[in-house]
Amino acid sequence: MTTTARPPAPPVRSHPENRKWVGKSIRRVEDPKFLRGRGGYIADLVRPGTLHAAVLRSPHAHARIVSIDTDAAAALDGVYAVVTGAQAAELTEPLPDFGPDPAKHTWRCLAVDKVRYVGEGVAVVVADDRYLAEDALALIDVDYDPLPPVVDPERALDAGAPLVHEALGSNLAYERTFDFGDVDADFAAADLVVRDRLRWHRSGGQPLETVGAIADFDPSTGQLTAHTNSLSFTSYLFMVANTLRIPANKLDIHQVPAGGSFGSKLFVTKPLVLAAMCSRLVGRPVVYLEDRVDNISNCDHHGSDRVYDVRLAVTRDGRIRGIDIDTVDDYGAYIQFGVGHHGNALAQVTGPYTIDSVRYRVRAALTNKNQQGAYRGFGSEVNNWMLEQMVDKAARELGMDPVQIRRRNFIRPDQFPYFIPTGNVYDSGNYDAVLDQALEIGEYDRWRAEQTQAREEGRYLGVGLIAAQERSVFSATEFWFWFDEPGAPVTSMPESVTLNVDATGGITATLYSCAFWGNSPETMVAQLVAEEFDCDPHDVSIIYHGSQGGLPATGPGGSRTTVMLAGAVEGASAKIKRKARRAASELMEVDPDDLEWFDGGYQVRGVPEQRKTLGDIAIALHLFKHSFPEDVESGLEESQVFDHPYTTMPSADRKDLGVFYPFMGHACHVPVVEVDIATGEVRILAYAAVHDCGTLVNPRSLAGHIVGGTAQGIGTALYEEFVYDDTGQLITSSFLDYSIPTAMEVPHLRIGHVETPSPYTPHGIKGGGEGGRMMAPAALNAAVNDALAPLGVRVTELPMTPDRLRAAIRAAGVVTGGR
Amino acid sequence: MTEELQEITLTVNGRRHVLAVQPRRLLVDVLRDDLGLPGTHIGCEHGVCGTCTVLLDDASVRACITLAVQADGRSVRTVEGLADGMRLHPLQEEFWDKQGLQCGYCTPGMLMRAVEILEQVPDPTPDQVREGIASNLCRCTGYQYIVEAVLAAAPRMRSENPWDPTVPTEAKA
C-alpha cells in the first residue's frame, strides 16, 4: 500500500436519532398500480397506429454475410420497411461503447459484414403488427458463409485462433496487470501458498420483462420522443443522440417502470436505436419489444464468464498476507463496458480481510457469444466467490475452522475507515458482529452436530459459511482507471430531486432518472421526505421527469440509488425549510433564529402555540407574495443535484486507484445443504443471511432484496448457465433450458440485520440492492464442498449442476450405486 | 398471409365480448390489445414462467400459448377482475402488506394462480402454497413474502368479511 498523502475524507456526519419513518417497513407506494395490473410497463404504452418492429437473428455463431434478399419480405402487405445491417450502418452511427479501442471492435445495432454470435441481428422489419413482422422475417433470405467459431476463452487467446474482429488482430481485447503493495515479498514470507484454478460460467439477470422502446420521430420539429424501460443513464443520453444523429436537446426519453432488471436493463441502447431508426425512416411511431429469444440471445447483458488461477500467501497461524489473481474473462463478441467488472472487483478485492498486497492480472477474451453487460454484483460477486473459495481452501490446508480463519483476518471495527491495498476505502463495518449473528440464527453449532450424525448415516450434509463485501455507490472510476491515457477527472455520478410544496402543503418529488426496476425509489423518497416534513409517506406524490430539460441524473446501478436520492432529498428539503423558515418568520414577525421545526411546521421556540404549519406557509408563498420582501419569489419549490460524496483520483502510476466505492456493506451467509452423491442433486435444508447495509430505510424492502438476490445466487450456484456448445450454438435459448429457481428451489431464509451507519452518507445509509446474489454462490459452493469433504471432493466450477457434481465425485474415485 | 377472421365470444371478468380474431392470435394478445386489459403480461412465450396466467373457466392457463379461439364460449378471469372498485382483493392487500412483489411484472399471473390455489385448497399449508406457486417464476422476491401473503389471505378469504380495515384504498395510496 502506498503511504502517499490522500485527499481528506468528507466530514463525519452525525445522524439524527428517533427517526419516525426511516427504518420503518411501510407498504410500498409503488405497489397498488402493479397489484391492479396497471403498471404502465413499456408494452402497455403501445397506442393504436403504432407500427411493430421485429429482428431477424443469426443462426450462426460466426459467418460472413454474403447477401440478403429482402424483396419478398418488403412486398408483403402490411410491411412498411425492411432494413438490413448494411442499410442501418448508413442510417446510424455505432452504438455507445466504453470498451478499449471501440474502432477495432465496432458495435452496431445490426451486423454488417459478418455475424459474430448466434442471435445477432441482421435485419429489422417494420409492419402493422408483430405477427406480420414475424411473417416477413420468414421471407428474408440471408446467404451466410460460415466461419469457424471461437468458443473457449482461453483457446481464443491462442495464436491462430479464428478472429472475432479482424481489425483487432487478435481476440485479446484488453490485458493489464496491477500490483498493489509488495506482492512478491508477501509471497516470499508466506509459510503456505494456496493455489487453485476456478471456473465461473455465464448466467444473467433474465428479468421476466424483456427490453423495449417506443419511438416517435416528428419530422416537422426533428424531435424524437421515446419511451423505454432502459437507459438509466440520463446524463449520457447525448451518446444515443450521437448514434441516431439527432441533437441531444431534441431527444426526449421518458421513464417507464422496468419489469425487473438486475443490471440487465442498464443502459441498453440497441432497442431504442432500432425503434428510433425505424420511426424516422417510416414517419410513424414504432415499437420494438424484444421477445424472449431476442433477450436471452442478444440482451448484451450476459454476466461474468471467468477462469481464475489464484495464489494466496498465508502464514502458519492463518493470516492471509497477499493474493495473486490471474483471470481470463470471456466477454463475448463485443466489450461495451470494457473491463469495468474487474474495476468493480478491485473495490473490494481483499474482502473483509486485512490482506496487505494484491496482484491482479486480467485478460479480456473475445469469443462468438453475446457480450457481457451487467448482472447484480457487476463482477464483484465473482471475486467474492473466488476469495471465499481460497480462504476455505487455506483453512482446509491449515486444518483451521472456517469461522476461525475468518475472524483471524477480519478488519476490526476500530480500523475504519480502512484503505485496502487498491486504494479504495471501506467506510465502516463490524464483521464479527455480523458473523456472530449469522452463527446464531443459522444455528451453526446445531447443524455441525447434525452433520456429524448424518455422516455416520452415510449422508452428505454440508454447512457453508462465507463473509463477504457489498460495495455500494459507484463513481465511474472503475471503468477508466485501466487506461493511463486519456486520463479523466473523477466522475461525480449525480442524482437529482426537485421538491414542490403546493399551496395546500402537499409535497411532490420529481426524480430525473429511470429509477424503478423493482427496487423502491418512490417509497424510499417518500419515506425520506416524510422524515423531513413529518407527513405520511403515502401522501407524497412522486413523478418522473423526461430527459429533455431534466436535471443531472445517473439512475440505478452499483447499489447507489438510495444513498444518492437520500442526499438529493436532504439537500432539497434543507432549501425548502430555509425558505419556509424565513416565510414563517415574516408571517409571525419573529426572528427566524427563534423558530424551530416541529411536527410539520415552524414554531417559536418555547411558545408552541405560536406556529405556522407547512400548509400555512405554502399558501402564503403561493398566493400572497407581496406580503414578503422583494427577493422572495412566489411558490415553494427547490431542487438539489447531489454528487458522489466521496470519490478521489487514482494516482498517475495506478499504484493507488483512489476512492471509488466507499460505502461498504457486508454479509455473512450460512446455508446448509445435503448432496445426493448418486444423482448430484443439491438440496438446501436451511439458509441464514445476515447483512449490514448501514442504516435501514425500509427493512422489509431490504429483506426482499436479500431473499430475491439470494434466489438469483442459488440460480447462479446450481442451475443457471447460458450454454454455448462447441459450435457456438446457444443451447439454452428459452426458459425451458435456462433454469430459473422456482419456489421449490428457494428455501425460507432466516434474515438478520446489523446496522453500522456510514459516517459519510445521509442517515448513515449504504446501498443494499445486490448483496444476496453477491454472497449466495460463494456460500452454496462452500456448503457443497463441506458436504463432500469426506470424499476428498472440492467443486471449483459454477453452476454446480448434477452432471458437474457427478463428474467431480467420479473423478475422486467414489463409486456409487448409480452409473 | 392474412388469415380469415373467426368470430368468438369471450366472457372476461364477467363481461361478454363478441370478437372477430385471426385463428392464430394468442389469448394474451387479444386480452391486451383488443380488450384493453394490459394486466396480463408476457414473460417467456414458451408457457414456462407463468407470467401470463389467467383463469379459464376457473382453471389457470398460460395465455401466451393459448389461442384466443380456444377460449371461445368460455369465461376468463384476469387480474383486472380482482379488485372491487376501490377495494383491493384480500390477496392484493396481502401482497401489498407483505411486499410479495418488487417489480410487479409477475404479480398479475402470480395473483391469479394464488386465487386458483385458494379456491382449490382454502386452508393450505406453507408447503402446499410453495408447491402451488412453483408453477410461476418470480425473478425479484425469492418467493418468501409471496408465500406469506397467500397464507395470510387464506383465512380472510374464508371469512364473512375479508377486508382489512387498516389497508388504505387506492385513493390513499
Side-chain angles (χ1 to χ4, degrees):
Chain A
M1 202 186 322
T2 57
T3 52
T4 48
R6 293 193 163 91
V12 170
R13 288 162 167 263
S14 61
H15 302 302
E17 289 172 15
N18 304 320
R19 297 183 195 93
K20 192 170 173 196
W21 292 107
V22 169
K24 204 169 169 190
S25 293
I26 66 163
R27 294 185 183 104
R28 302 196 320 163
V29 304
E30 291 91 344
D31 287 350
K33 62 180 179 289
F34 297 127
L35 290 164
R36 287 174 184 261
R38 309 293 294 187
Y41 301 99
I42 186 72
D44 306 346
L45 305 181
V46 179
R47 286 178 306 196
T50 303
L51 303 179
H52 290 249
V55 173
L56 184 68
R57 306 210 163 275
S58 166
H60 297 284
H62 197 190
R64 210 156 288 290
I65 299 171
V66 179
S67 64
I68 304 183
D69 182 350
T70 61
D71 289 351
L76 192 67
D77 284 344
V79 169
Y80 289 72
V82 183
V83 183
T84 65
Q87 291 163 332
E90 292 174 10
L91 296 169
T92 61
E93 299 297 318
L95 295 167
D97 185 337
F98 302 93
D101 222 346
K104 291 186 176 164
H105 34 80
T106 307
W107 179 39
R108 291 184 172 278
C109 63
L110 296 171
V112 180
D113 299 320
K114 70 171 192 173
V115 289
R116 293 182 171 84
Y117 58 91
V118 169
E120 186 165 22
V122 294
V124 59
V125 167
V126 184
D128 275 320
D129 66 35
R130 177 81 188 205
Y131 290 78
L132 282 171
E134 293 193 18
D135 289 343
L137 292 186
L139 297 174
I140 299 175
D141 189 13
V142 185
D143 185 10
Y144 293 102
D145 178 13
L147 299 166
V150 49
V151 181
D152 180 84
E154 290 180 299
R155 268 186 261 162
L157 302 182
D158 290 346
L163 294 178
V164 180
H165 293 272
E166 285 78 3
L168 186 61
S170 84
N171 294 317
L172 182 64
Y174 184 80
E175 174 176 10
R176 182 147 188 175
T177 303
F178 282 130
D179 261 32
F180 307 101
D182 197 343
V183 183
D184 292 328
D186 281 333
F187 274 86
D191 298 318
L192 173 69
V193 174
V194 182
R195 294 160 203 274
D196 215 342
R197 184 175 164 81
L198 305 167
R199 183 75 174 93
W200 171 292
H201 292 278
R202 60 174 54 201
S203 55
Q206 285 300 302
L208 291 179
E209 184 209 41
T210 60
V211 185
I214 303 169
D216 188 359
F217 182 77
D218 183 346
S220 56
T221 60
Q223 166 103 0
L224 181 79
T225 305
H227 289 76
T228 180
N229 54 6
S230 174
L231 215 102
S232 53
F233 287 72
T234 314
S235 53
Y236 288 162
L237 284 184
F238 62 89
M239 288 183 292
V240 182
N242 179 64
T243 297
L244 290 168
R245 300 181 190 140
I246 286 172
N249 63 348
K250 296 270 187 179
L251 176 60
D252 193 14
I253 301 190
H254 292 267
Q255 182 271 355
V256 177
S261 164
F262 321 107
S264 79
K265 284 177 182 154
L266 187 131
F267 201 46
V268 187
T269 49
K270 201 189 275 177
L272 173 60
V273 165
L274 284 168
M277 174 185 79
C278 292
S279 175
R280 189 162 48 173
L281 191 66
V282 302
R284 291 270 297 270
V286 172
V287 58
Y288 173 62
L289 253 180
E290 295 174 336
D291 67 14
R292 182 54 54 185
V293 177
D294 289 329
N295 185 267
I296 211 165
S297 68
N298 183 59
C299 60
D300 297 312
H301 279 278
H302 284 191
S304 295
D305 192 350
R306 297 184 189 172
V307 183
Y308 279 103
D309 286 292
V310 192
R311 296 189 307 143
L312 202 63
V314 189
T315 63
R316 205 173 314 283
D317 64 354
R319 174 126 151 66
I320 306 166
R321 301 284 302 271
I323 187 165
D324 177 3
I325 300 160
D326 185 350
T327 183
V328 173
D329 204 336
D330 182 346
Y331 269 87
Y334 300 94
I335 182 163
Q336 60 180 332
F337 294 131
V339 292
H341 314 83
H342 295 272
N344 199 297
L346 287 168
Q348 54 173 59
V349 63
T350 46
Y353 310 120
T354 54
I355 300 174
D356 296 325
S357 63
V358 178
R359 178 167 295 148
Y360 199 101
R361 180 191 190 205
V362 57
R363 282 172 289 168
L366 298 184
T367 61
N368 293 115
K369 299 173 188 169
N370 188 215
Q371 71 177 324
Q372 284 191 26
Y375 185 23
R376 214 168 190 174
F378 206 73
S380 276
E381 80 285 24
V382 196
N383 192 88
N384 281 353
W385 164 77
M386 174 275 295
L387 181 59
E388 290 302 280
Q389 274 268 25
M390 296 306 293
V391 170
D392 269 353
K393 190 171 189 198
R396 202 181 276 197
E397 291 186 16
L398 290 166
M400 283 179 83
D401 180 84
V403 176
Q404 187 191 4
I405 193 169
R406 286 174 172 83
R407 287 206 198 273
R408 175 146 311 164
N409 289 281
F410 275 163
I411 301 162
R412 297 186 317 274
D414 62 3
Q415 289 177 286
F416 295 100
Y418 185 87
F419 286 86
I420 67 167
T422 64
N424 190 41
V425 76
Y426 296 177
D427 60 339
S428 63
N430 187 344
Y431 304 149
D432 277 309
V434 173
L435 177 56
D436 289 342
Q437 195 183 135
L439 295 176
E440 188 193 327
I441 70 170
E443 300 179 290
Y444 186 80
D445 294 335
R446 181 175 79 74
W447 280 111
R448 282 288 179 216
E450 292 243 354
Q451 180 180 43
T452 307
Q453 175 76 26
R455 280 180 179 167
E456 285 168 13
E457 295 164 7
R459 290 162 55 215
Y460 293 87
L461 218 71
V463 184
L465 180 135
I466 63 103
Q469 306 301 81
E470 180 186 12
R471 79 288 170 278
S472 73
V473 192
F474 77 104
S475 69
T477 323
E478 70 198 74
F479 293 98
W480 58 257
F481 56 48
W482 300 98
F483 312 109
D484 297 320
E485 296 294 337
V490 286
T491 34
S492 72
M493 313 309 281
E495 205 62 51
S496 303
V497 165
T498 298
L499 294 181
N500 177 291
V501 185
D502 67 25
T504 71
I507 303 174
T508 299
T510 304
L511 313 186
Y512 292 88
S513 58
C514 177
F516 181 87
W517 47 13
N519 50 341
S520 320
E522 297 165 39
T523 303
M524 178 262 292
V525 165
Q527 281 183 267
L528 290 159
V529 168
E531 189 68 51
E532 295 278 356
F533 294 103
D534 307 312
C535 56
D536 184 330
H538 288 94
D539 288 336
V540 178
S541 258
I542 310 283
I543 56 176
Y544 292 91
H545 199 288
S547 65
Q548 201 167 33
L551 293 175
T554 306
S559 293
R560 67 188 296 282
T561 310
T562 303
V563 169
M564 296 303 289
L565 283 173
V569 167
E570 179 188 62
S573 299
K575 291 177 186 175
I576 293 269
K577 282 185 172 170
R578 204 173 305 141
K579 185 170 180 179
R581 175 193 286 265
R582 185 172 168 209
S585 81
E586 297 286 345
L587 292 171
M588 293 189 276
E589 297 179 344
V590 294
D591 190 303
D593 290 341
D594 292 339
L595 294 175
E596 63 180 352
W597 178 267
F598 183 80
D599 195 22
Y602 275 107
Q603 63 190 36
V604 178
R605 211 168 264 121
V607 195
E609 62 277 13
Q610 204 180 338
R611 64 178 268 121
K612 293 285 179 191
T613 65
L614 187 62
D616 299 334
I617 298 165
I619 195 163
L621 280 171
H622 274 272
L623 301 183
F624 310 117
K625 179 253 162 337
H626 294 304
S627 312
F628 297 104
E630 195 63 25
D631 63 317
V632 175
E633 290 178 17
S634 283
L636 189 51
E637 177 177 296
E638 299 286 354
S639 297
Q640 179 71 42
V641 182
F642 185 69
D643 292 299
H644 196 295
Y646 190 9
T647 180
T648 65
M649 275 295 279
S651 66
D653 62 4
R654 300 297 188 260
K655 294 275 183 202
D656 185 301
L657 301 174
V659 173
F660 61 102
Y661 241 133
F663 311 127
M664 192 56 62
H666 177 77
C668 182
H669 279 210
V670 182
V672 182
V673 303
E674 180 163 355
V675 181
D676 181 334
I677 65 162
T679 64
E681 187 196 4
V682 177
R683 209 154 54 86
I684 302 173
L685 305 180
Y687 203 116
V690 178
H691 285 239
D692 180 356
C693 308
T695 302
L696 294 170
V697 179
N698 187 322
R700 175 55 64 129
S701 294
L702 180 69
H705 274 301
I706 292 169
V707 185
T710 299
Q712 287 186 318
I714 290 169
T716 304
L718 298 174
Y719 310 112
E720 294 180 37
E721 183 178 351
F722 297 120
V723 180
Y724 288 87
D725 71 10
D726 291 345
T727 68
Q729 271 303 324
L730 176 61
I731 59 175
T732 52
S733 61
S734 79
F735 284 175
L736 292 165
D737 310 302
Y738 185 88
S739 302
I740 289 173
T742 75
M744 296 301 281
E745 283 81 46
V746 183
H748 179 91
L749 258 65
R750 293 186 180 193
I751 296 165
H753 300 293
V754 169
E755 294 183 71
T756 312
S758 172
Y760 307 126
T761 66
H763 298 285
I765 301 165
K766 302 176 186 178
E770 299 166 271
R773 183 169 180 270
M774 292 176 73
M775 311 299 155
L780 285 162
N781 200 162
V784 167
N785 284 346
D786 188 55
L788 299 179
L791 303 176
V793 173
R794 256 185 92 247
V795 182
T796 55
E797 188 169 1
L798 296 190
M800 298 176 285
T801 52
D803 55 320
R804 285 203 179 106
L805 284 192
R806 283 290 303 142
I809 291 163
R810 265 198 305 270
V814 179
V815 180
T816 65
R819 280 169 293 157
Chain B
M1 240 177 266
T2 309
E3 300 171 70
E4 274 186 32
L5 299 181
Q6 191 169 326
E7 191 177 285
I8 59 171
T9 303
L10 298 182
T11 302
V12 181
N13 300 328
R15 180 176 286 273
R16 205 163 152 272
H17 301 270
V18 180
L19 300 158
V21 300
Q22 284 182 12
R24 68 174 177 173
R25 291 197 71 221
L26 296 167
L27 178 59
V28 67
D29 289 335
V30 169
L31 290 171
R32 292 179 55 86
D33 302 338
D34 298 17
L35 298 179
L37 297 171
T40 305
H41 300 150
I42 299 172
C44 71
E45 295 160 277
H46 281 86
V48 180
C49 72
T51 299
C52 60
T53 300
V54 297
L55 301 184
L56 185 61
D57 288 343
D58 301 331
S60 59
V61 297
R62 315 262 157 154
C64 80
I65 52 168
T66 303
L67 296 169
V69 293
Q70 292 177 280
D72 184 21
R74 303 170 72 179
S75 88
V76 181
R77 279 191 281 165
T78 73
V79 70
E80 285 91 347
L82 288 183
D84 178 10
M86 299 294 275
R87 271 281 169 213
L88 295 174
H89 186 279
L91 271 164
Q92 290 171 311
E93 289 186 347
E94 293 297 345
F95 268 61
W96 191 14
D97 188 63
K98 305 295 183 292
Q99 296 197 18
L101 69 159
Q102 288 177 27
C103 84
Y105 199 74
C106 77
T107 308
M110 197 64 89
L111 284 167
M112 298 317 291
R113 174 65 181 134
V115 167
E116 182 186 36
I117 291 169
L118 294 184
E119 284 177 355
Q120 292 174 348
V121 188
D123 189 9
T125 65
D127 284 349
Q128 283 175 314
V129 172
R130 260 193 190 274
E131 189 167 352
I133 64 164
S135 55
N136 289 43
L137 295 179
C138 170
R139 197 58 164 153
C140 295
T141 64
Y143 309 102
Q144 189 154 324
Y145 299 144
I146 295 176
V147 174
E148 269 189 28
V150 176
L151 289 169
R156 291 179 52 194
M157 286 175 64
R158 295 196 305 272
S159 80
E160 297 264 312
N161 180 9
W163 308 120
D164 176 352
T166 73
V167 178
T169 61
E170 183 89 11
K172 179 68 175 171

